[in-house]
């Protein structure tokens, strides 16, 4: 399981996704965003929604994720076929 604390607006409160934070293999974090890769290659995100904490628009593409990088304003994931999926603020 994953335990978080700190400023709720910056990802310190993961209660909305806590039930999905199981079998976490790796976590990436930036100033306001967290992204967890689960053992099955799925991704759970939380934190400031517009900066990447909300990955719902690309969730169907986040299968077989190998790696994630986060910045203060956007996230990028490499998926199983080698393609890259991005989300967050588009101008970053």
């Amino acid at each position: 399981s994953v335990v978080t604390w700190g400023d709720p607006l910056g990802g310190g409160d993961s209660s909305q996704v806590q039930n999905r934070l199981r079998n976490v293999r790796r976590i990436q974090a930036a100033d306001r965003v967290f992204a967890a890769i689960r053992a099955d290659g799925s991704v759970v995100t939380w934190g400031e929604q517009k900066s990447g904490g909300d990955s719902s628009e690309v969730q169907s593409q986040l299968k077989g994720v190998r790696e994630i990088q986060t910045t203060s304003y956007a996230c990028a994931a490499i998926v199983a076929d080698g393609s890259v999926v991005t989300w967050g603020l588009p101008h970053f």
Side-chain angles (χ1 to χ4, degrees), residues 17-65:
V17 296
Q18 192 58 232
N19 64 327
R20 296 177 50 216
L21 290 174
R22 302 283 184 262
N23 301 313
V24 172
R25 191 176 67 198
R26 188 177 346 183
I27 294 178
Q28 286 293 112
D31 293 340
R32 302 171 181 92
V33 178
F34 290 81
I37 302 174
R38 296 174 45 170
D40 65 1
S42 63
V43 173
V44 180
T45 59
W46 69 98
E48 187 176 79
Q49 291 187 351
K50 65 181 180 182
S51 297
D54 178 4
S55 59
S56 59
E57 288 188 22
V58 297
Q59 197 58 229
S60 65
Q61 300 172 62
L62 293 174
K63 308 290 186 216
V65 173

Side-chain angles (χ1 to χ4, degrees), residues 79-92:
V79 296
D81 68 1
S83 63
V84 175
V85 178
T86 62
W87 66 98
L89 291 172
H91 54 278
F92 287 93

